[in-house]
Every structure is written in structure tokens, then in C-alpha cells.
Amino acid sequence: MHKIMLIEDDRQLSELIGEHLERYGYKIHKPTDFQHIMESFAKVQPDLVLLDINLPYYDGYFLCRSIRQQSTVPIIIISARSTEMDQIMAMELGADDYITKPFTFELLHTKVKATIRRVYGEYAATDSGELFIDGLKLDSQTLAVQFEGQRQELSKNEYILLKKLLEHHETYIPRETLIEAVWDSLTFVEDNTLTVNMTRIKQKLSSLGLPNVITSKRGVGYMLSVPTRLGKTNE
């Protein structure tokens, strides 16, 4: 039974969401002490977090960043804030998905089910080693990317996307293929969600000394090309 931590201060909505998801076999934890959310998180150790943004004491952005600093647990934002900037900010802080209020319980369950399946179920990454391309190393155990002694940690989504790019080195991958690799369904994923994740990957590779190794072409997709002269030979 997967544990979901529902951080929502609207008690009526929290109860309705909890009751709906419990029908599908999830164990729902609904903290009420919003001043000590991180303590509750450490105690529960949930498999997924549903997180509102407008909360007492600490907003969802702060909590998203705090959770991501100590865990790769998937985080789905549920918020009445519907601007593109709000969604981009949430993704940059490490959120995996974003649902704007009002939403249907069917949509929520679909996103929860897809995320659980991707991270823990049949679509979860089963590789247990490292992937090398010209000195660039991707580690499936630590969800980190390394180059010439420097290291950057990745979110689960960033890891999956970068792995896909490495597996198809110097080949353009359609945006739809990348979206399906991470989120399962094209229907419920906004296009800028992929863009934000790819931007974060580019920034992390740039900090390792690999700027501009990911290129995009409108109507085609994304491609990773690590020049051999920058790295070591493949191990």
C-alpha cells in the first residue's frame, strides 16, 4: 500500500481528496500541524506528496524545496494558482507535476496512479548501473550526473530525461517521446512542463562544464551531443 502525504489546509477538500484516493487502496496522511510539516514528512516517509501552495506558516514553494533537499519522493502540486510562472517556479523547485484547482478527482487519481507506476511500478527504472558517454556519467543508484570530478544531483524526472538523451546520443528525440517516457500520458501534461525540466538539465550540465550540449529544434525535439574532445574515452 503506497503512502500519500496530502498537505492541504482546506479541511473539506482534504477530506474529499483523501476519501477518494483511499478507495483505490492508498494510505493517506493528512497533517494538521502546518508549522511542523517537515517533521511529519520525516516521520511518515511517504511515497508521494500532494502539496498545496497557499498554506499557513510556510508556503508550498518553501516546502517543495525543503522536501527536495532531502528526498527524491515525487511531488504533485495542487493549487488555485494557475499562471505559467507559478508552474515554472514549482518545477524549478523540484515538483514533478502541477494540477490547478478546480480539478476532477478522476484527473487527480490519473496523475497519482501514473506517477506511482512510473516511480515504483512497471515503468520504474530497473537499471542498476552507470551510463557513460565521453566522460559524462549517469548513476542510476544516486540519481546523479558527473563529469570530470564534478557532480550534480538530479530529480527523478531529470534522470529519466537525461538517460533517454544519453541512450540516443547525437539523435533528436521528439518532445512527445520524452513526455511519454516521464509522464506516461500526453493528455494531462502541459508542454512547458517538459521545457522547464530540460532547462534545469541544461543548467546542471553547464555547471559541470558542458554548456550547450543539449540542443532543441522546433518541430523535431531535443538532442544531446557531448563532444569527444571535452571528455574522456568511454569506459
Side-chain angles (χ1 to χ4, degrees):
M1 178 183 293
H2 291 289
K3 296 181 292 184
I4 296 176
M5 189 169 184
L6 172 58
I7 307 174
E8 167 62 67
D9 65 328
D10 183 325
R11 291 197 175 186
Q12 182 177 11
L13 179 59
S14 179
E15 288 298 323
L16 289 172
I17 292 175
E19 289 174 5
H20 182 79
L21 292 177
E22 283 172 349
R23 296 175 190 169
Y24 295 95
Y26 300 109
K27 185 173 180 58
I28 311 299
H29 295 267
K30 302 186 289 287
T32 56
D33 182 358
F34 293 94
Q35 193 170 2
H36 299 94
I37 290 294
M38 292 310 299
E39 288 87 340
S40 298
F41 174 82
K43 182 178 180 180
V44 173
Q45 291 293 303
D47 300 306
L48 182 144
V49 174
L50 295 176
L51 176 62
D52 189 15
I53 292 179
N54 295 324
L55 296 167
Y57 299 105
Y58 306 103
D59 69 15
Y61 294 131
F62 175 85
L63 292 174
C64 183
R65 181 173 61 247
S66 299
I67 291 171
R68 193 53 75 228
Q69 286 173 347
Q70 59 182 268
S71 173
T72 59
V73 64
I75 301 171
I76 299 177
I77 299 292
I78 49 175
S79 175
R81 299 189 186 184
S82 59
T83 69
E84 182 175 304
M85 184 56 65
D86 285 311
Q87 297 182 46
I88 290 174
M89 185 180 301
M91 295 297 173
E92 288 183 340
L93 292 174
D96 295 87
D97 209 338
Y98 196 107
I99 305 175
T100 55
K101 299 176 181 177
F103 54 83
T104 66
F105 291 135
E106 288 73 19
L107 172 61
L108 176 62
H109 177 233
T110 296
K111 285 184 173 285
V112 168
K113 182 173 63 175
T115 302
I116 292 290
R117 186 173 56 201
R118 171 177 57 80
V119 178
Y120 307 106
E122 59 188 290
Y123 297 121
T126 56
D127 54 298
S128 57
E130 299 171 337
L131 187 61
F132 294 88
I133 293 290
D134 292 323
L136 182 68
K137 182 173 72 173
L138 187 63
D139 190 331
S140 65
Q141 297 301 298
T142 61
L143 297 187
V145 59
Q146 300 178 53
F147 184 74
E148 294 188 345
Q150 298 189 73
R151 179 177 184 274
Q152 277 283 350
E153 294 185 358
L154 303 169
S155 70
K156 186 72 174 182
N157 287 354
E158 292 165 358
Y159 167 80
I160 294 172
L161 290 170
L162 185 54
K163 180 174 183 288
K164 198 77 173 177
L165 291 169
L166 280 165
E167 290 174 341
H168 299 272
H169 188 235
E170 296 188 335
T171 302
Y172 277 104
I173 304 176
R175 294 179 65 90
E176 293 79 9
T177 300
L178 292 170
I179 289 174
E180 287 181 319
V182 177
W183 294 282
D184 295 333
S185 172
L186 300 176
T187 306
F188 303 112
V189 179
E190 295 191 15
D191 197 56
N192 68 331
T193 301
L194 175 63
T195 302
V196 170
N197 278 271
M198 294 302 297
T199 298
R200 286 172 55 83
I201 293 173
K202 289 178 182 179
Q203 291 171 344
K204 291 181 178 182
L205 291 178
S206 181
S207 72
L208 296 179
L210 291 172
N212 306 316
V213 292
I214 294 179
T215 57
S216 60
K217 186 177 292 187
R218 184 178 295 275
V220 180
Y222 289 92
M223 178 177 69
L224 172 71
S225 180
V226 182
T228 303
R229 62 183 175 81
L230 288 179
K232 303 174 183 178
T233 58
N234 288 357
E235 300 183 25

Short mmCIF file of all heavy atoms in Angstrom, two decimals, residues 114-165:
data_model
loop_
_atom_site.label_atom_id
_atom_site.label_comp_id
_atom_site.label_asym_id
_atom_site.label_seq_id
_atom_site.Cartn_x
_atom_site.Cartn_y
_atom_site.Cartn_z
N ALA A 114 -0.37 7.37 -12.39
CA ALA A 114 0.71 7.39 -13.37
C ALA A 114 2.06 7.64 -12.69
O ALA A 114 3.07 7.02 -13.05
CB ALA A 114 0.45 8.47 -14.42
N THR A 115 2.07 8.52 -11.70
CA THR A 115 3.32 8.83 -11.00
C THR A 115 3.79 7.64 -10.19
O THR A 115 4.98 7.28 -10.21
CB THR A 115 3.13 10.05 -10.08
OG1 THR A 115 2.70 11.17 -10.87
CG2 THR A 115 4.43 10.40 -9.37
N ILE A 116 2.89 7.00 -9.46
CA ILE A 116 3.23 5.82 -8.67
C ILE A 116 3.76 4.71 -9.58
O ILE A 116 4.77 4.05 -9.28
CB ILE A 116 2.00 5.31 -7.88
CG1 ILE A 116 1.61 6.31 -6.78
CG2 ILE A 116 2.27 3.93 -7.30
CD1 ILE A 116 2.57 6.40 -5.64
N ARG A 117 3.09 4.51 -10.71
CA ARG A 117 3.50 3.45 -11.63
C ARG A 117 4.88 3.74 -12.22
O ARG A 117 5.70 2.85 -12.38
CB ARG A 117 2.47 3.34 -12.76
CG ARG A 117 2.71 2.17 -13.72
CD ARG A 117 1.54 2.05 -14.67
NE ARG A 117 1.30 3.29 -15.40
CZ ARG A 117 0.15 3.59 -15.98
NH1 ARG A 117 -0.88 2.77 -15.89
NH2 ARG A 117 0.03 4.71 -16.65
N ARG A 118 5.12 5.03 -12.53
CA ARG A 118 6.40 5.40 -13.12
C ARG A 118 7.55 5.24 -12.13
O ARG A 118 8.62 4.75 -12.48
CB ARG A 118 6.34 6.85 -13.61
CG ARG A 118 7.69 7.42 -14.03
CD ARG A 118 7.54 8.83 -14.57
NE ARG A 118 6.92 9.73 -13.61
CZ ARG A 118 7.57 10.30 -12.61
NH1 ARG A 118 8.84 10.04 -12.40
NH2 ARG A 118 6.95 11.14 -11.80
N VAL A 119 7.32 5.65 -10.90
CA VAL A 119 8.41 5.67 -9.92
C VAL A 119 8.62 4.31 -9.25
O VAL A 119 9.75 3.90 -9.01
CB VAL A 119 8.16 6.75 -8.85
CG1 VAL A 119 9.25 6.75 -7.80
CG2 VAL A 119 8.06 8.12 -9.51
N TYR A 120 7.50 3.61 -8.97
CA TYR A 120 7.62 2.38 -8.19
C TYR A 120 7.15 1.12 -8.92
O TYR A 120 7.42 0.01 -8.46
CB TYR A 120 6.82 2.51 -6.89
CG TYR A 120 7.16 3.73 -6.08
CD1 TYR A 120 6.28 4.82 -6.04
CD2 TYR A 120 8.34 3.82 -5.38
CE1 TYR A 120 6.58 5.96 -5.31
CE2 TYR A 120 8.66 4.95 -4.64
CZ TYR A 120 7.77 6.02 -4.61
OH TYR A 120 8.08 7.14 -3.89
N GLY A 121 6.41 1.31 -10.01
CA GLY A 121 5.77 0.14 -10.61
C GLY A 121 6.41 -0.34 -11.88
O GLY A 121 7.64 -0.33 -12.03
N GLU A 122 5.57 -0.73 -12.83
CA GLU A 122 6.05 -1.40 -14.03
C GLU A 122 6.92 -0.52 -14.91
O GLU A 122 7.71 -1.04 -15.70
CB GLU A 122 4.85 -1.89 -14.86
CG GLU A 122 3.91 -0.77 -15.28
CD GLU A 122 2.64 -1.29 -15.93
OE1 GLU A 122 2.72 -1.81 -17.06
OE2 GLU A 122 1.58 -1.19 -15.29
N TYR A 123 6.79 0.80 -14.79
CA TYR A 123 7.61 1.67 -15.62
C TYR A 123 8.80 2.24 -14.85
O TYR A 123 9.51 3.09 -15.36
CB TYR A 123 6.78 2.84 -16.17
CG TYR A 123 5.67 2.39 -17.08
CD1 TYR A 123 4.34 2.69 -16.79
CD2 TYR A 123 5.95 1.65 -18.23
CE1 TYR A 123 3.32 2.27 -17.63
CE2 TYR A 123 4.94 1.22 -19.07
CZ TYR A 123 3.62 1.54 -18.77
OH TYR A 123 2.62 1.13 -19.58
N ALA A 124 9.00 1.79 -13.62
CA ALA A 124 10.12 2.29 -12.83
C ALA A 124 11.43 1.87 -13.46
O ALA A 124 11.54 0.80 -14.07
CB ALA A 124 10.04 1.75 -11.39
N ALA A 125 12.43 2.70 -13.31
CA ALA A 125 13.75 2.38 -13.87
C ALA A 125 14.29 1.12 -13.20
O ALA A 125 14.33 1.01 -11.98
CB ALA A 125 14.72 3.54 -13.64
N THR A 126 14.70 0.16 -14.01
CA THR A 126 15.20 -1.09 -13.46
C THR A 126 16.71 -1.22 -13.63
O THR A 126 17.29 -2.21 -13.21
CB THR A 126 14.53 -2.29 -14.16
OG1 THR A 126 14.73 -2.17 -15.57
CG2 THR A 126 13.03 -2.29 -13.88
N ASP A 127 17.33 -0.26 -14.31
CA ASP A 127 18.78 -0.35 -14.47
C ASP A 127 19.46 -0.16 -13.13
O ASP A 127 18.98 0.54 -12.26
CB ASP A 127 19.27 0.70 -15.47
CG ASP A 127 18.84 2.10 -15.10
OD1 ASP A 127 17.61 2.36 -15.05
OD2 ASP A 127 19.72 2.93 -14.86
N SER A 128 20.58 -0.80 -12.95
CA SER A 128 21.26 -0.76 -11.65
C SER A 128 22.72 -0.40 -11.79
O SER A 128 23.53 -0.73 -10.94
CB SER A 128 21.14 -2.12 -10.95
OG SER A 128 21.68 -3.14 -11.76
N GLY A 129 23.08 0.29 -12.87
CA GLY A 129 24.47 0.63 -13.08
C GLY A 129 24.67 2.06 -13.48
O GLY A 129 23.92 2.95 -13.09
N GLU A 130 25.71 2.28 -14.27
CA GLU A 130 26.07 3.62 -14.71
C GLU A 130 26.10 3.66 -16.22
O GLU A 130 26.38 2.66 -16.88
CB GLU A 130 27.43 4.01 -14.13
CG GLU A 130 27.46 4.02 -12.60
CD GLU A 130 28.86 4.19 -12.05
OE1 GLU A 130 29.82 3.88 -12.79
OE2 GLU A 130 28.99 4.64 -10.90
N LEU A 131 25.83 4.83 -16.76
CA LEU A 131 25.83 5.03 -18.20
C LEU A 131 26.88 6.09 -18.52
O LEU A 131 26.90 7.15 -17.91
CB LEU A 131 24.45 5.49 -18.67
CG LEU A 131 24.19 5.59 -20.16
CD1 LEU A 131 24.35 4.23 -20.84
CD2 LEU A 131 22.78 6.13 -20.41
N PHE A 132 27.79 5.77 -19.46
CA PHE A 132 28.88 6.68 -19.80
C PHE A 132 28.78 7.14 -21.25
O PHE A 132 28.49 6.33 -22.14
CB PHE A 132 30.24 5.99 -19.65
CG PHE A 132 30.59 5.63 -18.22
CD1 PHE A 132 30.20 4.43 -17.67
CD2 PHE A 132 31.35 6.50 -17.45
CE1 PHE A 132 30.52 4.10 -16.38
CE2 PHE A 132 31.70 6.17 -16.16
CZ PHE A 132 31.28 4.97 -15.62
N ILE A 133 29.01 8.41 -21.48
CA ILE A 133 29.17 8.95 -22.83
C ILE A 133 30.29 9.99 -22.78
O ILE A 133 30.12 11.05 -22.18
CB ILE A 133 27.88 9.61 -23.37
CG1 ILE A 133 26.78 8.57 -23.59
CG2 ILE A 133 28.16 10.34 -24.68
CD1 ILE A 133 27.03 7.62 -24.74
N ASP A 134 31.44 9.67 -23.36
CA ASP A 134 32.54 10.61 -23.47
C ASP A 134 32.84 11.33 -22.15
O ASP A 134 32.97 12.56 -22.10
CB ASP A 134 32.26 11.65 -24.57
CG ASP A 134 32.26 11.01 -25.95
OD1 ASP A 134 33.09 10.11 -26.18
OD2 ASP A 134 31.43 11.39 -26.79
N GLY A 135 32.94 10.58 -21.08
CA GLY A 135 33.30 11.15 -19.79
C GLY A 135 32.13 11.60 -18.95
O GLY A 135 32.28 11.85 -17.75
N LEU A 136 30.96 11.71 -19.56
CA LEU A 136 29.75 12.07 -18.82
C LEU A 136 29.14 10.80 -18.24
O LEU A 136 28.85 9.85 -18.97
CB LEU A 136 28.75 12.76 -19.74
CG LEU A 136 27.45 13.26 -19.10
CD1 LEU A 136 27.73 14.41 -18.14
CD2 LEU A 136 26.47 13.71 -20.18
N LYS A 137 28.97 10.77 -16.92
CA LYS A 137 28.49 9.56 -16.25
C LYS A 137 27.15 9.81 -15.57
O LYS A 137 26.99 10.78 -14.83
CB LYS A 137 29.51 9.07 -15.22
CG LYS A 137 29.08 7.78 -14.51
CD LYS A 137 30.19 7.24 -13.62
CE LYS A 137 30.40 8.06 -12.38
NZ LYS A 137 31.36 7.43 -11.44
N LEU A 138 26.20 8.92 -15.83
CA LEU A 138 24.88 9.00 -15.20
C LEU A 138 24.72 7.79 -14.29
O LEU A 138 24.84 6.65 -14.73
CB LEU A 138 23.79 9.00 -16.28
CG LEU A 138 22.35 9.24 -15.82
CD1 LEU A 138 22.21 10.63 -15.20
CD2 LEU A 138 21.39 9.10 -16.99
N ASP A 139 24.48 8.05 -13.00
CA ASP A 139 24.40 6.99 -12.00
C ASP A 139 22.95 6.76 -11.60
O ASP A 139 22.30 7.64 -11.04
CB ASP A 139 25.22 7.38 -10.77
CG ASP A 139 25.40 6.24 -9.79
OD1 ASP A 139 24.52 5.36 -9.72
OD2 ASP A 139 26.43 6.21 -9.09
N SER A 140 22.44 5.55 -11.87
CA SER A 140 21.04 5.24 -11.58
C SER A 140 20.78 5.04 -10.10
O SER A 140 19.64 5.15 -9.65
CB SER A 140 20.62 3.98 -12.35
OG SER A 140 21.33 2.85 -11.88
N GLN A 141 21.81 4.73 -9.33
CA GLN A 141 21.62 4.48 -7.90
C GLN A 141 21.51 5.77 -7.10
O GLN A 141 20.74 5.85 -6.15
CB GLN A 141 22.78 3.63 -7.36
CG GLN A 141 22.86 2.24 -8.00
CD GLN A 141 21.60 1.43 -7.79
OE1 GLN A 141 21.24 1.13 -6.66
NE2 GLN A 141 20.91 1.09 -8.86
N THR A 142 22.30 6.77 -7.48
CA THR A 142 22.30 8.03 -6.73
C THR A 142 21.52 9.13 -7.43
O THR A 142 21.37 10.23 -6.88
CB THR A 142 23.74 8.51 -6.50
OG1 THR A 142 24.37 8.73 -7.78
CG2 THR A 142 24.55 7.48 -5.72
N LEU A 143 21.01 8.85 -8.64
CA LEU A 143 20.34 9.86 -9.45
C LEU A 143 21.20 11.11 -9.57
O LEU A 143 20.79 12.24 -9.28
CB LEU A 143 18.97 10.23 -8.86
CG LEU A 143 17.92 9.11 -8.81
CD1 LEU A 143 16.58 9.67 -8.35
CD2 LEU A 143 17.77 8.42 -10.14
N ALA A 144 22.45 10.89 -10.02
CA ALA A 144 23.39 11.99 -10.16
C ALA A 144 24.10 11.90 -11.51
O ALA A 144 24.23 10.82 -12.08
CB ALA A 144 24.42 11.96 -9.03
N VAL A 145 24.56 13.04 -11.99
CA VAL A 145 25.34 13.09 -13.22
C VAL A 145 26.71 13.68 -12.87
O VAL A 145 26.81 14.61 -12.07
CB VAL A 145 24.63 13.94 -14.31
CG1 VAL A 145 24.38 15.36 -13.84
CG2 VAL A 145 25.42 13.91 -15.61
N GLN A 146 27.77 13.08 -13.44
CA GLN A 146 29.13 13.51 -13.11
C GLN A 146 29.93 13.75 -14.38
O GLN A 146 29.72 13.10 -15.40
CB GLN A 146 29.83 12.43 -12.28
CG GLN A 146 29.15 12.12 -10.96
CD GLN A 146 29.86 11.03 -10.19
OE1 GLN A 146 31.06 11.11 -9.94
NE2 GLN A 146 29.13 10.01 -9.80
N PHE A 147 30.85 14.70 -14.28
CA PHE A 147 31.76 14.98 -15.40
C PHE A 147 33.03 15.61 -14.85
O PHE A 147 32.98 16.61 -14.15
CB PHE A 147 31.09 15.92 -16.42
CG PHE A 147 31.94 16.17 -17.64
CD1 PHE A 147 32.08 15.20 -18.61
CD2 PHE A 147 32.59 17.38 -17.81
CE1 PHE A 147 32.86 15.43 -19.74
CE2 PHE A 147 33.37 17.62 -18.93
CZ PHE A 147 33.50 16.64 -19.90
N GLU A 148 34.16 14.97 -15.14
CA GLU A 148 35.47 15.46 -14.75
C GLU A 148 35.54 15.84 -13.27
O GLU A 148 35.98 16.93 -12.91
CB GLU A 148 35.89 16.64 -15.64
CG GLU A 148 36.11 16.23 -17.10
CD GLU A 148 36.70 17.34 -17.95
OE1 GLU A 148 36.67 18.51 -17.50
OE2 GLU A 148 37.19 17.04 -19.04
N GLY A 149 35.07 14.93 -12.43
CA GLY A 149 35.18 15.11 -10.98
C GLY A 149 34.12 15.96 -10.34
O GLY A 149 34.07 16.09 -9.11
N GLN A 150 33.24 16.56 -11.14
CA GLN A 150 32.16 17.37 -10.59
C GLN A 150 30.84 16.59 -10.68
O GLN A 150 30.67 15.74 -11.56
CB GLN A 150 32.04 18.69 -11.34
CG GLN A 150 33.28 19.56 -11.22
CD GLN A 150 33.04 20.94 -11.79
OE1 GLN A 150 32.35 21.77 -11.20
NE2 GLN A 150 33.61 21.19 -12.96
N ARG A 151 29.93 16.92 -9.79
CA ARG A 151 28.71 16.13 -9.66
C ARG A 151 27.50 17.02 -9.44
O ARG A 151 27.56 18.03 -8.75
CB ARG A 151 28.87 15.16 -8.48
CG ARG A 151 27.71 14.25 -8.17
CD ARG A 151 28.12 13.33 -7.01
NE ARG A 151 27.09 12.35 -6.71
CZ ARG A 151 26.06 12.56 -5.90
NH1 ARG A 151 25.94 13.74 -5.31
NH2 ARG A 151 25.18 11.61 -5.67
N GLN A 152 26.37 16.64 -10.05
CA GLN A 152 25.10 17.32 -9.83
C GLN A 152 24.01 16.28 -9.57
O GLN A 152 23.92 15.28 -10.29
CB GLN A 152 24.71 18.15 -11.06
CG GLN A 152 25.37 19.51 -11.14
CD GLN A 152 24.74 20.53 -10.23
OE1 GLN A 152 23.68 20.30 -9.64
NE2 GLN A 152 25.39 21.67 -10.09
N GLU A 153 23.22 16.51 -8.53
CA GLU A 153 22.10 15.61 -8.27
C GLU A 153 20.94 15.95 -9.19
O GLU A 153 20.74 17.10 -9.56
CB GLU A 153 21.67 15.72 -6.80
CG GLU A 153 22.72 15.23 -5.82
CD GLU A 153 22.21 15.25 -4.40
OE1 GLU A 153 21.07 15.69 -4.18
OE2 GLU A 153 22.96 14.82 -3.50
N LEU A 154 20.16 14.92 -9.55
CA LEU A 154 19.03 15.09 -10.45
C LEU A 154 17.74 14.67 -9.75
O LEU A 154 17.76 13.81 -8.87
CB LEU A 154 19.21 14.22 -11.70
CG LEU A 154 20.47 14.44 -12.53
CD1 LEU A 154 20.61 13.33 -13.56
CD2 LEU A 154 20.44 15.79 -13.21
N SER A 155 16.64 15.25 -10.19
CA SER A 155 15.34 14.75 -9.75
C SER A 155 15.06 13.48 -10.54
O SER A 155 15.75 13.16 -11.52
CB SER A 155 14.24 15.78 -10.01
OG SER A 155 14.01 15.90 -11.41
N LYS A 156 14.04 12.73 -10.15
CA LYS A 156 13.69 11.51 -10.86
C LYS A 156 13.36 11.82 -12.32
O LYS A 156 13.81 11.11 -13.24
CB LYS A 156 12.49 10.84 -10.19
CG LYS A 156 12.13 9.48 -10.76
CD LYS A 156 13.13 8.42 -10.38
CE LYS A 156 12.68 7.05 -10.84
NZ LYS A 156 13.60 5.99 -10.45
N ASN A 157 12.61 12.86 -12.55
CA ASN A 157 12.24 13.22 -13.92
C ASN A 157 13.46 13.63 -14.74
O ASN A 157 13.60 13.25 -15.91
CB ASN A 157 11.22 14.35 -13.92
CG ASN A 157 9.84 13.90 -13.47
OD1 ASN A 157 9.61 12.72 -13.27
ND2 ASN A 157 8.93 14.83 -13.31
N GLU A 158 14.34 14.42 -14.13
CA GLU A 158 15.55 14.84 -14.83
C GLU A 158 16.42 13.64 -15.18
O GLU A 158 17.00 13.58 -16.27
CB GLU A 158 16.33 15.84 -13.97
CG GLU A 158 15.64 17.17 -13.79
CD GLU A 158 16.21 18.00 -12.66
OE1 GLU A 158 17.15 17.53 -11.98
OE2 GLU A 158 15.71 19.12 -12.45
N TYR A 159 16.49 12.70 -14.26
CA TYR A 159 17.28 11.49 -14.52
C TYR A 159 16.72 10.72 -15.72
O TYR A 159 17.47 10.31 -16.62
CB TYR A 159 17.30 10.58 -13.28
CG TYR A 159 17.83 9.20 -13.59
CD1 TYR A 159 19.19 8.97 -13.68
CD2 TYR A 159 16.96 8.13 -13.82
CE1 TYR A 159 19.68 7.71 -14.00
CE2 TYR A 159 17.44 6.87 -14.14
CZ TYR A 159 18.80 6.67 -14.23
OH TYR A 159 19.28 5.43 -14.55
N ILE A 160 15.41 10.53 -15.75
CA ILE A 160 14.79 9.77 -16.84
C ILE A 160 15.01 10.47 -18.17
O ILE A 160 15.34 9.84 -19.19
CB ILE A 160 13.29 9.59 -16.57
CG1 ILE A 160 13.06 8.70 -15.33
CG2 ILE A 160 12.60 8.97 -17.78
CD1 ILE A 160 11.62 8.62 -14.89
N LEU A 161 14.86 11.80 -18.20
CA LEU A 161 15.05 12.54 -19.44
C LEU A 161 16.50 12.49 -19.92
O LEU A 161 16.76 12.26 -21.11
CB LEU A 161 14.61 14.00 -19.24
CG LEU A 161 13.11 14.24 -19.07
CD1 LEU A 161 12.84 15.67 -18.64
CD2 LEU A 161 12.37 13.93 -20.36
N LEU A 162 17.44 12.69 -18.99
CA LEU A 162 18.84 12.67 -19.38
C LEU A 162 19.27 11.27 -19.82
O LEU A 162 20.06 11.12 -20.76
CB LEU A 162 19.72 13.17 -18.23
CG LEU A 162 21.22 13.32 -18.55
CD1 LEU A 162 21.44 14.19 -19.78
CD2 LEU A 162 21.95 13.90 -17.34
N LYS A 163 18.74 10.26 -19.17
CA LYS A 163 19.04 8.88 -19.56
C LYS A 163 18.57 8.63 -20.99
O LYS A 163 19.27 8.00 -21.80
CB LYS A 163 18.38 7.90 -18.59
CG LYS A 163 18.62 6.43 -18.91
CD LYS A 163 18.03 5.55 -17.81
CE LYS A 163 18.32 4.07 -18.07
NZ LYS A 163 17.53 3.53 -19.19
N LYS A 164 17.39 9.12 -21.30
CA LYS A 164 16.84 8.95 -22.65
C LYS A 164 17.74 9.63 -23.68
O LYS A 164 18.00 9.09 -24.77
CB LYS A 164 15.43 9.54 -22.70
CG LYS A 164 14.58 9.07 -23.87
CD LYS A 164 14.05 7.68 -23.61
CE LYS A 164 13.05 7.26 -24.68
NZ LYS A 164 12.59 5.88 -24.47
N LEU A 165 18.21 10.83 -23.34
CA LEU A 165 19.09 11.56 -24.25
C LEU A 165 20.43 10.85 -24.43
O LEU A 165 20.99 10.82 -25.53
CB LEU A 165 19.30 12.98 -23.73
CG LEU A 165 18.09 13.91 -23.79
CD1 LEU A 165 18.36 15.18 -23.00
CD2 LEU A 165 17.72 14.25 -25.23
#
